[in-house]
Each structure stands twice: as structure tokens, then as C-alpha cells.
Amino acid sequence: MLGIFKKGLAHPPQELNSPHPLKTAATREPKFPREILEDFSATHQSSSSNAFSVSFEDGALLAYARPQKSYSVHQRLFCGLDNIYCIFRGSLNNLSSLIKQYGLSKGTDEAMFVIEAYLTLRDHGPYPADQVLKDLDGDYGFVLYDGKAGTIFAASGAEEGVRLFWGIAADGSLVISDNLEVVKGSCAKSFAPFPPGCMFHSEHGLMSFEHPRSKVKAMPRIDSEGVMCGANFKVDVQSKVHAMPRVGSEANWAIWGQSA
């Protein structure tokens, strides 16, 4: 799974973007979105993987490849509905009960459920977004793009069974993927693990849904060469935010409280 979102659309944390080190023969340069997509596609050349991508006029791009094995604990799914698209990796242990709770059809898979839950948050609030994600029992990571609102919503489960990574491309675009090598090879020194138990919304930033009243702070990452390399984002349980993010009935996905 791969999501690329142009600068100005995603608004990732500034700490994710590391200063470029002095160039040497071994210096790895960040790549542009088209090159990143080519690298992703090259890792899924087998016809059985059914890799494909979708580009949007506002500078968003989603790419997806089915796992080569028919049966996998961490399935990969792609779904689109009402101009909302979701790429999902993992599985939800309580999907059946969630389907009943939301009144969805029995054939709903995890990617479709994420879209339906997002629509509930966006259009039928107010609901606390952190509570919706807390209700998801399983190992998962997903990236959702709302083509109508032009917003991005991503999350990674607290269990860390599925890991996401993110970084900054050569043109400032945000890159999110479950493939570490693709992100590392594309974003030079500006990449990091996506923090587990956290969610990111392009208009309102990064927060922990496990500890929604605590701030998420950036901790500098230093690689083996002693060079700054993105940032690890950790929950600071000593700091608090004033209010929970809640979703209203407006066209936008959410109205979020301001940090302390």
C-alpha cells in the first residue's frame, strides 16, 4: 500500500522533514512521486499481485497490490465509495460486531468499514474520532483519501502487528506506506515509523487515539552515520490537550480542539 499527497494537501508534522546532509558520493537523494510509484510497482511485478494505482487532479495518489499469497494474516484491501478511497492492511477481529453496530451488510470488509465509519464521523456526528478507532480490535494500518473534501485520514493500530512508515519526497509530498524500503529509499533522511496507536488527519495533524488527552511530541532520530533522520513521535503523558476532537455535521471531517 502506498499513498502520496502533494505539499499543501497533507500538512505533515514539520519534524518529519530533516535538513538535507552535505552531499557525498554515498548520499541518497529523495525522489519525486512518479519515481516512488515506479519503485513501488517494481516490487510487485508478478502478475498475480494485481498492482494498480489511482491519481487525482489535486495531487493525491494511491497505489495498491494484493499479497501474492491467497491466505495471509495481514490482508491487503482497497475500496472506493462516494469519492472516498481506502487502502487497508491487516484484519479486525471484531469486524462482525462492528458491521452490526453500524448497520452494514454482511459482505462488508475492513476497507469498506473504514470508509463507512469515516462517513459516519464526517456526516452524522458528533462522535469522538478516538473512540471510533479504539473500538477497532486487531492489527491494522490504513490510509483514506476523501476526494470531495481533499483530506487524508490515516491510522495505525496500537498492537504494532502492521506497521506504517511515512516520509517527505523531493517535492515536499507526504509519502505513507507499509513498505519500509520504499519509504526509506524515496525520502532520504526525511522518514520515520508512523506511531502506533495514532491517527493523522491532513487538516488537524497527528494525535494518539489511545491517549487522546495527551500531546504527541517529536523526538529526533539519529541514524548510524550520526545524521538527523526524521523523528520518532511519542505520546507525552505529562502534557494535555484542552478538548477531544469531535466530528460535526459540516462538510469537513472534523472540528478539533486546540492543544494546550
Side-chain angles (χ1 to χ4, degrees), residues 221-244:
R221 293 176 68 234
I222 307 296
D223 66 11
S224 59
E225 300 172 350
V227 178
M228 286 285 294
C229 184
N232 284 322
F233 296 90
K234 303 289 186 181
V235 177
D236 182 359
V237 296
Q238 302 300 320
S239 63
K240 302 296 180 182
V241 296
H242 286 309
M244 295 299 96

Side-chain angles (χ1 to χ4, degrees), residues 25-243:
T27 299
R28 178 182 294 168
E29 293 291 324
K31 298 180 180 180
F32 289 90
R34 185 53 54 184
E35 298 174 280
I36 299 171
L37 177 60
E38 290 173 355
D39 288 347
F40 177 83
S41 299
T43 65
H44 300 283
Q45 290 181 346
S46 171
S47 59
S48 62
S49 66
N50 295 321
F52 68 92
S53 62
V54 182
S55 298
F56 302 88
E57 292 183 355
D58 60 0
L61 183 150
L62 295 175
Y64 162 81
R66 292 180 180 175
Q68 294 186 5
K69 296 182 180 179
S70 300
Y71 298 96
S72 174
V73 175
H74 295 148
Q75 60 185 335
R76 290 190 181 98
L77 301 168
F78 176 88
C79 185
L81 176 68
D82 294 336
N83 205 22
I84 299 172
Y85 303 87
C86 177
I87 44 178
F88 181 100
R89 185 181 180 191
S91 60
L92 299 179
N93 302 324
N94 61 337
L95 180 60
S96 296
S97 62
L98 291 170
I99 287 173
K100 292 179 181 178
Q101 178 183 338
Y102 282 77
L104 305 177
S105 64
K106 292 183 179 180
T108 301
D109 63 20
E110 281 87 346
M112 175 62 77
F113 168 77
V114 169
I115 291 177
E116 294 285 2
Y118 171 85
L119 284 169
T120 299
L121 287 169
R122 192 190 70 176
D123 300 335
H124 304 293
Y127 295 102
D130 61 284
Q131 187 58 55
V132 173
L133 291 176
K134 278 184 180 179
D135 288 342
L136 307 187
D137 175 21
D139 293 329
Y140 65 88
F142 68 79
V143 180
L144 180 147
Y145 173 67
D146 184 340
K148 181 179 179 180
T151 53
I152 299 100
F153 179 36
S156 179
E159 299 300 323
E160 300 189 62
V162 173
R163 302 188 67 191
L164 297 182
F165 304 90
W166 57 348
I168 306 298
D171 64 349
S173 295
L174 173 65
V175 180
I176 307 177
S177 178
D178 63 338
N179 190 320
L180 171 60
E181 295 307 314
V182 168
V183 177
K184 185 177 180 180
S186 303
C187 303
K189 298 298 183 181
S190 297
F191 79 95
F194 189 95
C198 288
M199 61 183 183
F200 170 76
H201 185 269
S202 54
E203 293 182 358
H204 309 290
L206 178 69
M207 70 163 289
S208 168
F209 62 79
E210 285 285 292
H211 305 281
R213 292 191 178 276
S214 298
K215 291 182 180 180
V216 179
K217 290 190 174 181
M219 307 295 291
R221 293 176 68 234
I222 307 296
D223 66 11
S224 59
E225 300 172 350
V227 178
M228 286 285 294
C229 184
N232 284 322
F233 296 90
K234 303 289 186 181
V235 177
D236 182 359
V237 296
Q238 302 300 320
S239 63
K240 302 296 180 182
V241 296
H242 286 309

